[in-house]
Amino acid sequence: MAEFTMELNDEQKEVRDWLHGFAADVIRPAAAEWDEREETPWPVIQEAAKVGIYSLDFYAQQYFDPTGLGIPMVMEELFWGDAGIALSIVGTGLAAVGVLANGTEEQIGTWIPQMYGDASDVKVAAFCSSEPDAGSDVASMRTRAVYDEAKDEWVLNGTKTWATNGGIANVHVVVAVVDPELGSKGHASFIVPPNTPGLSQGQKFKKHGIRASHTAEVVLDDVRVPGSCLLGGKEKLDQRLARAREKAEKGGERVKNAAMATFEASRPAVGAMAVGTARAAYEVALDYAVTREQFGRPIIDNQGVAFQLADMRTSIDAARLLVWRASWMAVNGKPFTAAEGSMSKLFASETAKKVTAQAVQILGGNGYTREYPVERMHRDSAIYTIFEGTSEIQRLVIARTLSGMPIR
């Protein structure tokens, strides 16, 4: 087990500087254009693939970094560049984590490479969990998966929403209900291979922020997938469902479902995204405050501005430390006994919203225009307190974990 450290080693620093250069030289110059276009920035993803940033090998190296700091370091630097473009680059990772968290070794080796493609033929993947009536309330999920034993196929029907890369993905990972009586415990995850009949893109959403990232509905109409596309396999699923039924009858301990396993693994990474956006806005505001003069002196000479910047930097550093702690714990198999993963996501996402708002305020009228990036950063930051578990859900998870009570 690696010791917890707040210092990156030389190799990590080299990777961080490489990522920072890509974010500064490739992502930032393209940010405003793709935000306005509200389209997937395929040329930028292609560039990321060419240099090795968008690749299975790179993310595997970071994912298995024993310090746990690889993934949060990647997320912070890319999202420092631009949240919308960065999410287009890393969005495939959520589907990959879904397979890593629930799949067999064979499934991991078969499907994750197909999610990324290669530098000459870039692909993306989508993780499909939320539904029009089932976002935070995963127990209300309606998408059904029914097993056709005669053909050894699963038949999926339903509509997913808020899916990053939904409909344009090469591989979709879909969470569906296999046993409605078990509520959220009766869910399973399925791979929907490329060009599977019955899967189509529904509405593409026009969003407040992260507009360079494709978000859409995914419609499943009698989608048939082979039995081998059930993540973890049917034997493991049957055993898990049997335990869940037994525990439900006895009022036993809570059993985690497939979607929650994915979200728990990814929450610190979302916190790192928020840290990157907050840091970017803070740096713009600091530079502006030092160079902008009013009444014959830089505006940072005013305590009202200077103290805001002090609070902004303090919150950013605190958020990063929470993210790093949770990431280290996750990689080293330490249980989140105080919901440390949710803590990191909650504090970092709330910090991003507050810091970007303060940045707009410090820039005044300029901050409200699209001539300066803090306007876009402020719009982008709103998503962090919403996706992969709202701030309210994070507080609920934390409170339940601390108290052991079924707080509602």
Side-chain angles (χ1 to χ4, degrees):
M1 181 177 69
E3 292 185 1
F4 178 70
T5 177
M6 293 184 290
E7 180 70 24
L8 299 177
N9 60 41
D10 290 341
E11 183 178 348
Q12 290 169 328
K13 290 177 181 178
E14 184 177 342
V15 172
R16 179 199 60 192
D17 293 344
W18 172 54
L19 291 165
H20 187 80
F22 183 85
D25 298 338
V26 181
I27 293 178
R28 280 203 168 179
E33 175 188 351
W34 291 100
D35 178 71
E36 291 287 347
R37 291 175 63 165
E38 299 190 55
E39 297 174 358
T40 301
W42 290 109
V44 183
I45 301 175
Q46 184 86 36
E47 286 300 311
K50 286 179 180 178
V51 300
I53 291 175
Y54 186 77
S55 73
L56 171 59
D57 288 345
F58 175 67
Y59 285 103
Q61 289 174 10
Q62 305 310 314
Y63 186 85
F64 292 108
D65 180 345
T67 70
L69 303 185
I71 289 296
M73 177 184 64
V74 171
M75 298 301 174
E76 180 175 340
E77 293 304 327
L78 294 181
F79 280 74
W80 172 90
D82 176 68
I85 291 178
L87 190 57
S88 289
I89 293 173
V90 307
T92 292
L94 185 58
V97 168
V99 176
L100 283 169
N102 302 295
T104 64
E105 289 187 9
E106 182 179 356
Q107 290 169 332
I108 291 169
T110 298
W111 294 111
I112 294 183
Q114 294 188 48
M115 294 179 175
Y116 288 92
D118 55 45
S120 62
D121 186 20
V122 170
K123 306 293 185 183
V124 295
F127 183 76
C128 308
S129 177
S130 295
E131 298 183 2
D133 296 318
S136 298
D137 183 11
V138 294
S140 297
M141 190 177 293
R142 295 180 181 178
T143 296
R144 288 295 308 276
V146 178
Y147 185 56
D148 184 341
E149 189 171 0
K151 296 184 178 181
D152 185 26
E153 292 179 339
W154 288 89
V155 185
L156 279 62
N157 282 282
T159 299
K160 294 296 182 178
T161 193
W162 312 123
T164 298
N165 298 330
I168 66 171
N170 194 47
V171 176
H172 290 76
V173 178
V174 177
V175 182
V177 179
V178 294
D179 188 334
E181 294 183 0
L182 291 176
S184 63
K185 302 176 185 68
H187 296 175
S189 293
F190 299 85
I191 292 286
V192 181
N195 304 314
T196 299
L199 184 147
S200 61
Q201 179 183 308
Q203 175 187 4
K204 178 187 175 183
F205 296 102
K206 297 181 74 66
K207 305 187 300 294
H208 175 63
I210 56 167
R211 301 198 304 190
S213 173
H214 176 97
T215 310
E217 291 180 330
V218 174
V219 180
L220 304 147
D221 184 11
D222 283 337
V223 171
R224 285 183 169 268
V225 299
S228 60
C229 287
L230 166 64
L231 290 180
K234 193 167 188 305
E235 182 178 352
K236 183 178 179 181
L237 172 65
D238 289 342
Q239 292 173 353
R240 179 168 62 80
L241 294 177
R243 290 197 303 270
R245 294 186 191 103
E246 181 181 353
K247 292 182 188 298
E249 291 174 0
K250 296 179 179 179
E253 63 189 76
R254 179 173 173 263
V255 179
K256 295 176 184 176
N257 65 60
M260 289 301 101
T262 301
F263 290 140
E264 284 186 14
S266 63
R267 277 172 179 160
V270 176
M273 298 175 188
V275 171
T277 299
R279 187 182 116 213
Y282 158 77
E283 289 177 1
V284 173
L286 176 61
D287 181 69
Y288 186 88
V290 170
T291 57
R292 171 70 167 174
E293 291 191 0
Q294 290 287 279
F295 306 106
R297 59 180 182 171
I299 62 173
I300 199 171
D301 278 355
N302 298 289
Q303 285 189 359
V305 173
F307 285 7
Q308 281 195 77
L309 288 161
D311 287 342
M312 291 159 73
R313 176 59 186 267
T314 301
S315 295
I316 291 166
D317 283 10
R320 183 184 298 108
L321 290 175
L322 285 171
V323 167
W324 282 17
R325 179 184 69 169
S327 300
W328 172 79
M329 291 177 68
V331 166
N332 287 282
K334 286 188 167 293
F336 289 159
T337 55
E340 288 88 349
S342 290
M343 282 185 184
S344 69
K345 199 265 186 184
L346 170 65
F347 190 81
S349 59
E350 294 289 346
T351 292
K353 282 189 69 174
K354 182 177 181 181
V355 166
T356 56
Q358 288 174 308
V360 171
Q361 189 68 25
I362 289 171
L363 268 68
N366 286 327
Y368 197 66
T369 71
R370 294 189 183 180
E371 296 299 314
Y372 287 79
V374 292
E375 178 272 340
R376 184 179 67 253
M377 294 167 183
H378 184 43
R379 285 189 285 109
D380 291 342
S381 70
I383 194 60
Y384 299 127
T385 62
I386 298 172
F387 71 175
E388 294 196 50
T390 64
S391 288
E392 291 74 21
I393 289 297
Q394 306 308 322
R395 292 185 175 99
L396 186 64
V397 170
I398 295 166
R400 285 176 174 175
T401 304
L402 296 178
S403 67
M405 300 295 289
I407 300 167
R408 297 182 180 275

